[in-house]
Amino acid sequence: MKFFATCSKGTEGALRQELAALKLPAVRGGRGGVHFEGKLEHGAKACLHSRTAMRVLLELAAFPVSGAEDLYEAAHAIDWTPWLTEKTTLAVEATGLAPGVTHTGFAALKVKDGVVDQLREKLGARPDVDSRNPDVPIVLHLDGGQGTLSLDLAGEPLHKRGWRTTTSVAPLKETLAAAVLLLGRIDTGLPFVDPLCGSGTLAIEQALRARCIAPGLDRSFAFQRWTCYRDELQSRWDKLRGQARAAVLPSLPAPIFASDFHPKAIDACRRNAHLAGVAGDLVIEQANVRDLQPRGEAGTLCMNPPYGERLIAEEDGPEARSAARTQERKLVGFYRLLAELLERHDGWSAVLLSGNPLLQQALSRKAEIDHRLWNGPLEIHLLRYRL
Ligand SMILES: C[S@@+](CC[C@H](N)C(=O)[O-])C[C@H]1O[C@@H](n2cnc3c(N)ncnc32)[C@H](O)[C@@H]1O
């Protein structure tokens, strides 16, 4: 079977590293994700263990597309009985465009028609559509004249781990935070400090990683509702989960500190850490970053400072220019404060996510890693400094 695990743009290297470490067969980097091959249990293993994948797709067919009828024909030609019965539900999500296919909703409808017509012919009845929580999520991807039909193993995107119910300003996606920890080469054996923790995403992901808690350990996935699950996969899945549970460390190898000056952020961080099962592992405090002192001889400062809303634009009128200048001055002052914080941490490392070039200017140091990532549509830089 051919799989494609998707991830945020710029984090493909972290995902490839993870899937290779899981010893999945034929791991190969791609655009916006990583390919691998194997049995259904290999796809399930990626859902259980990957911290950076957004989705794990099982490719069922790849075919040329020159019009909408090709979508119907391709869907109708696949044997859907290993995945669906007349009693399970499906949904089709379409992305991209192809010649003669200019509307994704229409493309999804053609695929759905092909699937249900084939099952009606084979089983004498057709399954229903459930667009909110389908048993079998089908994904159609169109790119130029090529179409791919896949099944989404997880259903709900993998970044929705279930623990982040409360957010504060500008939270990072869990999968992006996990990628930052991997790409920033953060050592789980040394103290970790996030002094701008917001809802705690970086610190919680670091705790889960350091205690080897698999992100999918307590989740249920769409593939568990597929026809072939009970026959082929259930016993393997139970075994994989049992092994993952046995690998969990009872405590952290090194302390993790999370602080923020905003009381609401601290509340959110505490609640999320509790739901993630790591509340006992984190030291969570309300504090201003200006007062932070080193917590030991060595460790990692890891943070996602505010980016500021925007820089001054040429088309701005005098009032907008003056407001943007005031905001920029404040931000530069704050970035200088962070530069002083780094000065105080001789012997440590710092991993920062920067969405504003003014931050790098204020730090005036050479980064040992400068990696481009995307936080949604926003281009940001992961910077690692040796202090
Ligand atoms: C971009 S947010 C961090 C979001 C976080 N990574 C998350 O995933 O939720 C920046 C945080 O810095 C905090 N902050 C700003 N100035 C601060 C200061 N002087 N001391 C401590 N925290 C501060 C804000 O309250 C905010 O929560």
Side-chain angles (χ1 to χ4, degrees):
M1 289 174 167
K2 283 187 181 173
F3 296 92
F4 184 62
T6 69
C7 62
S8 319
K9 203 167 141 196
T11 67
E12 293 89 344
L15 177 56
R16 201 177 51 232
Q17 208 178 306
E18 277 193 311
L19 300 186
L22 290 172
K23 299 198 165 42
L24 301 182
V27 171
R28 181 169 53 86
R31 197 160 40 104
V34 175
H35 301 270
F36 63 98
E37 293 178 16
K39 298 184 191 156
L40 201 52
E41 73 171 80
H42 292 112
K45 197 173 178 188
C47 291
L48 175 61
H49 287 285
S50 173
R51 300 181 195 279
T52 61
M54 295 283 284
R55 284 171 146 193
V56 178
L57 302 175
L58 163 61
E59 194 180 303
L60 294 184
F63 49 93
V65 181
S66 54
E69 272 320 295
D70 292 332
L71 304 177
Y72 178 89
E73 294 301 334
H76 192 263
I78 294 171
D79 179 10
W80 292 97
T81 53
W83 322 108
L84 278 151
T85 70
E86 70 281 15
K87 294 203 180 78
T88 44
T89 58
L90 77 143
V92 183
E93 185 195 320
T95 57
L97 298 171
V101 188
T102 51
H103 192 279
T104 50
F106 180 62
L109 201 67
K110 288 308 250 184
V111 170
K112 187 268 296 171
D113 287 347
V115 179
V116 298
D117 284 356
Q118 192 232 58
L119 282 162
R120 192 189 288 116
E121 287 156 23
K122 284 198 166 160
L123 306 173
R126 54 154 283 179
D128 285 332
V129 170
D130 177 351
S131 49
R132 287 180 42 159
N133 182 21
D135 298 319
V136 183
I138 300 170
V139 177
L140 167 70
H141 182 62
L142 297 171
D143 189 5
Q146 192 71 16
T148 314
L149 273 171
S150 309
L151 298 181
D152 179 346
L153 269 78
E156 182 112 82
L158 289 168
H159 77 269
K160 295 194 176 167
R161 316 237 202 265
W163 55 259
R164 201 169 62 184
T165 56
T166 322
T167 57
S168 63
V169 265
L172 289 175
K173 273 206 176 94
E174 297 83 331
T175 40
L176 184 58
V180 168
L181 305 174
L182 277 171
L183 294 168
R185 301 202 204 124
I186 296 181
D187 192 337
T188 52
L190 289 174
F192 176 98
V193 177
D194 179 357
L196 306 172
C197 72
S199 56
T201 323
L202 287 162
I204 293 170
E205 282 295 323
Q206 172 74 356
L208 293 168
R209 170 176 175 243
R211 285 191 52 207
C212 305
I213 301 175
L217 199 53
D218 294 314
R219 281 183 71 167
S220 63
F221 294 112
F223 67 76
Q224 293 175 271
R225 295 186 258 159
W226 297 353
T227 317
C228 58
Y229 174 71
R230 230 168 297 154
D231 308 333
E232 290 171 33
L233 191 58
Q234 188 165 14
S235 62
R236 280 300 302 152
W237 176 244
D238 290 343
K239 201 162 171 198
L240 283 173
R241 280 218 316 191
Q243 285 165 348
R245 209 171 286 287
V248 172
L249 300 179
S251 59
L252 287 176
I256 297 179
F257 303 92
S259 54
D260 197 290
F261 73 170
H262 207 295
K264 278 201 177 139
I266 292 302
D267 283 349
C269 182
R270 286 216 169 95
R271 210 164 313 148
N272 291 333
H274 173 72
L275 289 172
V278 295
D281 295 310
L282 303 189
V283 180
I284 303 170
E285 290 167 346
Q286 190 184 335
N288 196 313
V289 68
R290 131 167 59 87
D291 305 322
L292 197 78
Q293 293 302 325
R295 312 257 191 177
E297 295 288 302
T300 311
L301 279 172
C302 180
M303 54 191 140
N304 168 215
Y307 307 152
E309 267 151 41
R310 66 189 179 88
L311 304 174
I312 299 166
E314 270 189 23
E315 63 276 19
D316 279 349
E319 260 177 49
R321 270 177 175 270
S322 147
R325 238 182 250 118
T326 310
Q327 198 218 353
E328 198 173 287
R329 262 198 302 274
K330 272 198 197 163
L331 206 58
V332 170
F334 183 66
Y335 290 164
R336 291 213 179 107
L337 196 72
L338 297 184
E340 282 167 31
L341 176 75
L342 266 53
E343 291 298 327
R344 260 177 267 157
H345 282 76
D346 198 23
W348 281 56
S349 297
V351 173
L352 291 97
L353 273 187
S354 166
N356 190 326
L358 293 172
L359 174 61
Q360 239 168 312
Q361 279 171 32
L363 298 182
S364 63
R365 297 170 169 266
K366 185 158 169 39
E368 58 176 355
I369 297 177
D370 182 347
H371 185 88
R372 231 159 25 130
L373 294 171
W374 275 262
N375 186 1
L378 219 61
E379 183 185 317
I380 55 173
H381 285 248
L382 181 157
L383 305 167
R384 182 186 158 98
Y385 298 95
R386 195 188 295 273
L387 307 178

